[in-house]
Amino acid sequence: MDDSVPRPIRSTFAWLVGASQILGLASVVLTGVWMGHYRGGFAWDGSAREFNLHPLCMVLGLVFLHGDAILVYRVFRNESKKNVKLLHSIIHLLALIMSIIGFVAVFDFHREAKIPDMYSLHSWCGMATLVLFCIQWVMGLLFFLFPVASSWLRALYLPIHVFCGLLLLVMAIGSSLLGITEKLLFSIAPTYSLFTPEGILANTLGILLVCFGTLLGYLITREEYRRPPNPEEESLSVHFKTLTEGGSPTTP
Amino acid sequence: MDDSVPRPIRSTFAWLVGASQILGLASVVLTGVWMGHYRGGFAWDGSAREFNLHPLCMVLGLVFLHGDAILVYRVFRNESKKNVKLLHSIIHLLALIMSIIGFVAVFDFHREAKIPDMYSLHSWCGMATLVLFCIQWVMGLLFFLFPVASSWLRALYLPIHVFCGLLLLVMAIGSSLLGITEKLLFSIAPTYSLFTPEGILANTLGILLVCFGTLLGYLITREEYRRPPNPEEESLSVHFKTLTEGGSPTTP
């Protein structure tokens, strides 16, 4: 953060970012422990152990990395926008690769076990999230990293890109929660209501994901944590408002 | 909307509000059809028919009415703020009453059927949503409708109140989706994967709820749909920024 931002705001921001990283990492670790300790570990052999890669990759890719890719605009708010954009798209690329591995794992497992695909609400929401995430990533590349669109079109698209980024994070967390419930009811239905350790661990994972999303949403939407306007960058970049809009430039 | 807002923006806004109402009402109707047609209807006798009131009340209260209570600030953006606040809190009161009936229905059903309470992720998320919703409602009354707090405290709390309102809508929709998945896996697990009409209807309900939340989120967060600053109101109300903050006043 720059020196013009008061010290209490800078300090609160740093603590909140730290807390979000602890929550995000704890979610990834807890998913690993759940699948590794309670569900038999990981493999790439079409078995249930291949399925176990699905939750781990989705939480790591579509939740944690995706969330952090958005957060870089706040954390590196005083770095060159070009570098931050590059970092944003690299982390998103990693998130995309993770998500695709996670999707292949579950479809591969279903095929081997002859389980039908795409019938549950979890699968509908999860597939919608991944498809929209791919579209968002390609649009981001075309509009902002290697801009092929005209600048008025980019200015028009920017707030939609920002809104969709947060929406996709929420959808990814919602889909993860649906997946947790599905997995628990398929695996430990008879003992889930007895408050067994596996059920409590998975529920806690769900709550951690909600807390991670809440904190990210707060950090991303608070006005005082936004990137300060840079006249030099503004003159070159897409960050202007059309004549129909008032207020300050919408900065991702 | 006032005349200073360009016609295309006004027209888009009206269409989006109309679409959100269709999505919200369709969600309530679909929940009624699911519980009424496929799950045996409604009663208040401790049976599964009493449970059926739970999804209906929650979708009507914590999702549809809660969403519309937030939306009144955009739809009636040129009415007196006092009247809009009153409408906002009355709709929230209705939402709260509905939610409490829905909660009593499920606990009553659990007690009669000797089913343990509060073990699932759906129940954890749902209970967190209701408790936070109650706190948010009481805080709203104390801070804005019958203001007892000092104006600097109210100004400090306003953006948190606005953020929490949208967060609670997202949490309510997420909890509903978890409830849909739970109910389907408890009721039609053997036929769910065969794409039976009940499964498809319930999944469609989930998707409608996501679309309702997305549209509401868009309408609530877009800068051009915000309430225009009113100098007369601003001088009397809590809507000022502290010296540490820049930009335009944060209006709910």
Side-chain angles (χ1 to χ4, degrees):
Chain A
M1 285 208 164
D2 60 354
D3 293 340
S4 65
V5 178
R7 190 175 291 277
I9 293 180
R10 270 187 287 164
S11 163
T12 310
F13 176 79
W15 278 103
L16 292 179
V17 168
S20 77
Q21 295 311 291
I22 291 169
L23 285 168
L25 284 171
S27 303
V28 175
V29 170
L30 229 59
T31 313
V33 170
W34 182 19
M35 294 299 127
H37 180 69
Y38 289 100
R39 296 281 118 218
F42 306 94
W44 194 268
D45 56 2
S47 73
R49 293 194 300 155
E50 184 171 332
F51 167 85
N52 293 346
L53 285 167
H54 172 67
L56 187 64
C57 289
M58 302 326 286
V59 169
L60 179 56
L62 276 194
V63 179
F64 183 59
L65 290 177
H66 177 181
D68 273 10
I70 299 175
L71 200 59
V72 294
Y73 276 106
R74 297 289 171 278
V75 173
F76 302 110
R77 64 202 296 278
N78 295 307
E79 302 299 320
S80 120
K81 185 167 275 177
K82 196 180 155 197
N83 291 344
V84 181
K85 268 187 196 178
L86 200 64
L87 184 60
H88 177 77
S89 51
I90 288 171
I91 303 178
H92 262 156
L93 178 64
L94 290 176
L96 192 62
I97 292 168
M98 277 293 151
S99 317
I100 291 169
I101 295 172
F103 262 66
V104 172
V106 70
F107 279 98
D108 212 30
F109 163 68
H110 278 187
R111 200 182 57 244
E112 290 286 330
K114 302 201 186 338
I115 295 171
D117 292 315
M118 298 301 303
Y119 68 85
S120 72
L121 183 56
H122 165 64
S123 63
W124 288 23
C125 289
M127 185 57 88
T129 308
L130 186 74
V131 170
L132 292 174
F133 185 82
C134 291
I135 294 171
Q136 168 92 342
W137 192 78
V138 172
M139 295 286 275
L141 282 191
L142 293 180
F143 275 73
F144 306 120
L145 203 65
F146 310 111
V148 292
S150 63
S151 43
W152 75 265
L153 204 63
R154 282 182 280 157
L156 202 71
Y157 175 60
L158 181 62
I160 297 169
H161 183 77
V162 172
F163 176 78
C164 287
L166 191 51
L167 170 68
L168 284 170
L169 182 66
V170 171
M171 284 177 69
I173 291 173
S175 303
S176 302
L177 266 58
L178 289 175
I180 292 171
T181 292
E182 232 186 45
K183 183 68 187 161
L184 287 172
L185 292 181
F186 283 142
S187 310
I188 61 159
T191 57
Y192 190 18
S193 64
L194 303 174
F195 293 88
T196 46
E198 183 175 350
I200 292 175
L201 179 135
N203 284 3
T204 307
L205 167 61
I207 300 296
L208 286 182
L209 290 171
V210 172
C211 294
F212 176 73
T214 302
L215 210 43
L216 262 279
Y218 185 77
L219 286 166
I220 292 161
T221 56
R222 282 291 286 201
E223 199 65 37
E224 65 266 35
Y225 301 147
R226 288 177 91 156
R227 190 177 180 85
N230 179 330
E232 203 175 304
E233 273 182 355
E234 295 302 325
S235 67
L236 295 167
S237 83
V238 302
H239 302 285
F240 65 88
K241 288 270 192 176
T242 59
L243 286 174
T244 56
E245 293 177 284
S248 59
T250 306
T251 311
Chain B
M1 285 207 162
D2 60 352
D3 293 341
S4 65
V5 177
R7 192 175 288 276
I9 292 180
R10 269 187 287 164
S11 165
T12 311
F13 177 77
W15 278 103
L16 292 179
V17 168
S20 76
Q21 295 311 290
I22 291 169
L23 286 168
L25 284 171
S27 303
V28 175
V29 169
L30 229 60
T31 313
V33 169
W34 182 19
M35 293 300 126
H37 180 68
Y38 289 100
R39 295 284 119 217
F42 306 95
W44 194 267
D45 56 2
S47 72
R49 294 195 300 154
E50 184 171 332
F51 167 85
N52 292 348
L53 286 166
H54 172 67
L56 187 64
C57 288
M58 302 326 285
V59 169
L60 180 57
L62 275 193
V63 178
F64 182 59
L65 290 176
H66 178 181
D68 274 10
I70 299 175
L71 200 60
V72 294
Y73 276 106
R74 297 288 172 278
V75 174
F76 302 110
R77 64 203 294 279
N78 295 307
E79 303 298 319
S80 120
K81 185 167 275 178
K82 197 181 154 196
N83 290 344
V84 181
K85 268 187 196 177
L86 199 65
L87 184 61
H88 178 76
S89 50
I90 289 171
I91 303 177
H92 262 156
L93 178 63
L94 290 176
L96 193 61
I97 292 168
M98 277 292 150
S99 318
I100 290 170
I101 295 172
F103 262 66
V104 172
V106 69
F107 280 99
D108 212 31
F109 163 69
H110 277 187
R111 200 181 58 243
E112 290 286 330
K114 302 202 185 339
I115 295 170
D117 293 315
M118 299 300 305
Y119 68 86
S120 71
L121 183 55
H122 165 63
S123 63
W124 288 24
C125 289
M127 185 57 89
T129 307
L130 186 75
V131 170
L132 292 174
F133 185 81
C134 291
I135 294 171
Q136 167 91 342
W137 192 78
V138 172
M139 295 286 274
L141 282 190
L142 293 180
F143 275 73
F144 306 119
L145 203 66
F146 310 111
V148 293
S150 63
S151 44
W152 75 265
L153 205 62
R154 282 182 280 157
L156 202 71
Y157 175 60
L158 182 61
I160 297 169
H161 182 78
V162 172
F163 175 78
C164 287
L166 192 51
L167 170 68
L168 283 170
L169 182 67
V170 171
M171 283 176 70
I173 291 173
S175 302
S176 302
L177 266 58
L178 289 175
I180 292 170
T181 293
E182 232 186 45
K183 182 68 187 162
L184 287 172
L185 292 181
F186 283 142
S187 309
I188 62 159
T191 58
Y192 190 18
S193 64
L194 303 174
F195 294 88
T196 46
E198 184 176 348
I200 291 175
L201 179 134
N203 284 4
T204 307
L205 167 61
I207 299 298
L208 286 182
L209 290 171
V210 172
C211 294
F212 176 73
T214 302
L215 211 42
L216 261 280
Y218 185 77
L219 286 166
I220 292 161
T221 55
R222 281 292 286 201
E223 198 65 39
E224 66 265 36
Y225 302 146
R226 288 177 91 155
R227 191 178 181 83
N230 179 331
E232 204 175 304
E233 275 181 356
E234 295 302 324
S235 65
L236 295 167
S237 81
V238 301
H239 302 284
F240 65 89
K241 287 271 191 174
T242 59
L243 286 174
T244 56
E245 292 176 283
S248 59
T250 306
T251 312

